[in-house]
Structures are given as structure tokens and as C-alpha cells.
Amino acid sequence: MKQFRNREDSLRFGLSIFLLIGSIAGTIFCNRMDEEMKGELLNLERSMISTSILQSLDLEELFFRVFWRRLREIVFLLLLSATKAAYFGFLIASAVLGFFAAVLVSSMTMRRGIFGLFEFLSFVFPQAVVYLGEFYILAWWMPVRRKSFTWSLAALFLCTTIVGALMESFLNPWIVALVVNM
């Protein structure tokens, strides 16, 4: 019990527990759906990964749509990190992240079995490396090291958000198409 008393361990423990709670809730949510709702979820998923949609994409337009959406998200997290509610806000964000990841994994494995896991990884790779790095810095590293918002940190997040949006727009659609067509 002594190990959870310092800020670093309790924050890490809290983020992990809330991610796990969100994952369990998302899995239960998918498994408790009726057949009609599961069918709608599978139809939604199929429409997301249609190869014909990939071929008609304007990747430049996609980049700007993704970039603005991710920029709004990172600005929200930056503002959240500057408040007194940051600890609880990041715990909730961790639970929401776990919930939606579990819903996606459950949905994809219902349709494709074990290959659904590879499909899920194709949806989040490689941009998730960048976005999870940003979340790690904001939710854990900054509070533990008692770092505050600086303009150099904002510039770093802007650059990493651009890199993540580039990967999500120009690289990820081809990875998804490759895995989905296997």
C-alpha cells in the first residue's frame, strides 16, 4: 500500500484502472447488445472500411479534416491539464479511451474472429504511437514532473499532431485497405 501513496504511482495506477474499467464496460456493452444492434454496428464498420471509399478519397482534404479534429482534441487536453480537475479529467478520458477501444475490438472480432485484432491494429497504427505519446505526456509525465504549459510544449504538440494527422491521412488508409483485403 505504501507504493501507491506517492503521486507518480497513484496516477499510473488510476489511469490503468480506469482504462481497464472502460475496456470491461465496452466489452460488456458489445456482448449485451441484441442482434439488431449488432447488425447495425457491423454495417457501420463495413462502411468505414470499404475499399471503394479509399479509392475515392481526397487525401489532402482528409488530412485537413483529421488535423483540425485532432488539434481540437489536443487543445482540449492541454486546457484540461491546466485545471485543478486534470487528475479526474484524465481518469475519465482513460476510461472513455478503454471503452471505445473495447467496442471496436469486440465488433471486429465478432465479424472476423482473431483477424479482427489485426484489423483493429491497422485502424490505429501508426498514428496511435504519436497520439498515445501525447496523452502520456499530458496525463502522466507533466503531473508527475510538475511541468506546466509552455509555448515550447505547445509547439511540440502542434508538430506531433501534424505528424500524427499526416500518418492518419496518407499512410493509415493504405494499411487498413491491405489488412481488410487479406
Side-chain angles (χ1 to χ4, degrees):
M1 192 62 165
K2 184 178 179 184
Q3 66 186 11
F4 294 116
R5 291 192 183 158
N6 71 19
R7 183 174 175 89
E8 179 177 345
D9 287 337
S10 66
L11 183 59
R12 185 181 316 150
F13 181 74
L15 290 170
S16 300
I17 288 296
F18 274 73
L19 182 70
L20 182 62
I21 289 170
S23 299
I24 291 169
T27 304
I28 291 170
F29 173 77
C30 277
N31 288 315
R32 300 284 297 165
M33 285 185 203
D34 61 355
E35 291 305 314
E36 182 181 339
M37 201 167 165
K38 284 180 184 177
E40 289 298 320
L41 185 62
L42 291 175
N43 287 336
L44 176 66
E45 181 192 329
R46 280 192 199 114
S47 70
M48 285 177 16
I49 55 177
S50 169
T51 316
S52 61
I53 290 175
L54 176 65
Q55 292 171 350
S56 66
L57 277 178
D58 178 4
L59 297 178
E60 207 173 298
E61 179 186 336
L62 179 64
F63 167 74
F64 286 109
R65 287 178 46 206
V66 167
F67 172 69
W68 289 116
R69 179 172 291 154
R70 299 299 176 243
L71 187 63
R72 283 191 309 248
E73 292 167 358
I74 199 66
V75 166
F76 173 76
L77 291 174
L78 276 168
L79 293 174
L80 176 65
S81 72
T83 67
K84 295 216 182 267
Y87 178 77
F88 297 108
F90 282 119
L91 291 179
I92 291 168
S94 184
V96 168
L97 181 68
F99 179 85
F100 285 117
V103 167
L104 272 174
V105 168
S106 295
S107 168
M108 291 175 180
T109 55
M110 279 191 276
R111 188 172 57 84
R112 292 195 66 195
I114 193 73
F115 294 109
L117 295 175
F118 297 112
E119 195 171 291
F120 172 75
L121 289 174
S122 75
F123 267 101
V124 298
F125 184 78
Q127 70 273 10
V129 174
V130 174
Y131 299 142
L132 287 175
E134 289 177 338
F135 187 78
Y136 166 80
I137 289 171
L138 283 170
W140 188 76
W141 184 79
M142 283 179 58
V144 167
R145 302 287 184 241
R146 303 210 190 291
K147 300 288 183 185
S148 59
F149 177 79
T150 61
W151 290 108
S152 59
L153 185 65
L156 171 71
F157 281 122
L158 178 64
C159 291
T160 56
T161 302
I162 290 170
V163 169
L166 283 169
M167 287 192 277
E168 191 172 355
S169 304
F170 291 100
L171 186 57
N172 183 260
W174 301 107
I175 294 172
V176 169
L178 180 71
V179 171
V180 168
N181 293 324
M182 288 175 65

